[in-house]
Amino acid sequence: MSEHSPAEAKPEVFNPADTGIWFAVFAGAGAVGLLVSVIGAFVSTKQFAFSWLVASMYFFTLVVGGLFWVLVHHATDAEWSVLVRRVLENLAALIPVSLILFIPALLCAGRLWSWWDIPVGQESILDHKRWYLSHGFFLLRFCIYFVGLSSIALALRRNSVSQDADGNPLRTLRMRKLGIAGIPIFALSLTFAAFDWLMGLDYKWGSTMWGVYIFAGAAGSSMSLLVLLTTWLKSKGYLKGVTQEHYHIMGKLMLAFCIFWAYIGFSQYMLIWYANIPEETEYFIRRNVESWHALSTLLVVGRFFLPLPLLLQQAVKKKVSAICMVAGWMLLMQFLDLYIIIMPMLHTTGVSLSIYDFFAPLGIGGTLGCIFMWMLPKTNLFPSRDPRLPESLRLSN
């Protein structure tokens, strides 16, 4: 931890009036999206279930990715991220809401997870996995993920906000311990959630690299979201201490996880292709037939080959408009990634868009957006009495 005393930076509190039309946009989108989705739950239950799973997983990866960066900040005693940490803390604080919004998917479990309604003794492969794939244990794990991730996220934010009031440097040490302890909780929760909710869509298929693959997408896309949120706040006159140097680091982290995502994805593909085991190759065969092949190709090109040369350039990472365009594109690719993971289990012969594919993200995204906007004025926009604030304000890299 830095030996310097906190800088005399004036705390910044968000004025609710500065949300402009965004609060109304999120509220309207959320209300319409939820209404149409509720109708869809009765009219076309299976389609609704898959559309809702895509949307809920997408936003879950964004907010849980925010928690990852908060944990890394404290565990590594990072200085650069102090000015943007409160934005990440607010994102992570949405984890319990995102998991509550996941409950409709659980209510449609029989329509989503193929193993859910198969009787014991009917499938030998499934019977060997019954100790794990059972209704009670599945729901218990959901509760464990909910409590574990939410507790860590809220505890870190609570200590950070309290430090704004009392300036107690011991809170920094306490948050460091929480950050270190929270990393294995985060890793295990996200890995097994990915196994349960995504890999479990096809109980015959398995990959030991799956949790890392989902983590790579979550970390990269949440950093992209941080870039956009920071830019929006700066456009309103806040976060004045954030400079090109901060954008440069955020861009470098986007680049790192762009490469890491591609590395894990290719490694997983190569090992499954080389082994050529039917139960494993089925995953990639299903996603490379008919129109799914075009989307899979777009994902590879759009999430790696297109952003890679852009993010390699320092000028792009330091130019706000350029890095924001790349960040927005990466968020779109994260959604496409999850769409390709989930939807071929419903539409096996090719892409078949439904109105619920659009309204489910509107409902969940609008709800989370409203809550995020509501949270902004409740605290300072950055940890104003963090001992590492001077180094963040003087950042040079």
Side-chain angles (χ1 to χ4, degrees), residues 47-104:
Q47 176 64 64
F48 158 78
F50 275 87
S51 298
W52 194 265
L53 181 62
V54 172
S56 57
M57 281 304 303
Y58 174 67
F59 288 104
F60 172 72
T61 57
L62 295 182
V63 298
V64 83
L67 173 60
F68 166 72
W69 292 114
V70 175
L71 293 172
V72 169
H73 167 90
H74 291 297
T76 62
D77 201 22
E79 297 170 345
W80 78 269
S81 52
V82 172
L83 278 167
V84 296
R85 195 183 78 216
R86 186 58 49 77
V87 178
L88 292 168
E89 290 170 349
N90 288 338
L91 277 180
L94 294 173
I95 288 175
V97 182
S98 71
L99 290 176
I100 290 172
L101 290 170
F102 190 83
I103 291 176

Side-chain angles (χ1 to χ4, degrees), residues 294-313:
L295 282 189
S296 295
T297 303
L298 174 61
L299 177 64
V300 173
V301 174
R303 187 147 196 181
F304 178 66
F305 289 105
L306 184 60
L308 177 65
L310 297 174
L311 290 173
L312 283 171
Q313 301 177 56

Side-chain angles (χ1 to χ4, degrees), residues 298 301-303 306-307 324-334:
L298 174 61
V301 174
R303 187 147 196 181
L306 184 60
C324 282
M325 285 191 288
V326 177
W329 177 255
M330 296 297 277
L331 287 174
L332 181 61
M333 289 298 101
Q334 172 70 359

Side-chain angles (χ1 to χ4, degrees), residues 117-176:
D117 292 329
I118 297 178
V120 176
Q122 186 169 321
E123 290 279 355
S124 59
I125 295 178
L126 179 58
D127 288 340
H128 287 297
K129 302 178 180 180
R130 285 289 183 185
W131 66 272
Y132 187 81
L133 295 179
S134 63
H135 296 179
F137 194 23
F138 182 85
L139 296 175
L140 175 61
R141 290 195 300 274
F142 173 82
C143 295
I144 292 173
Y145 308 149
F146 185 101
V147 173
L149 294 172
S150 300
S151 298
I152 292 294
L154 296 177
L156 287 169
R157 184 177 184 273
R158 182 172 58 253
N159 275 277
S160 179
V161 172
S162 296
Q163 191 177 56
D164 288 350
D166 59 29
N168 187 354
L170 292 178
R171 292 192 183 275
T172 299
L173 299 176
R174 189 178 305 162
M175 287 186 285
R176 186 187 303 173

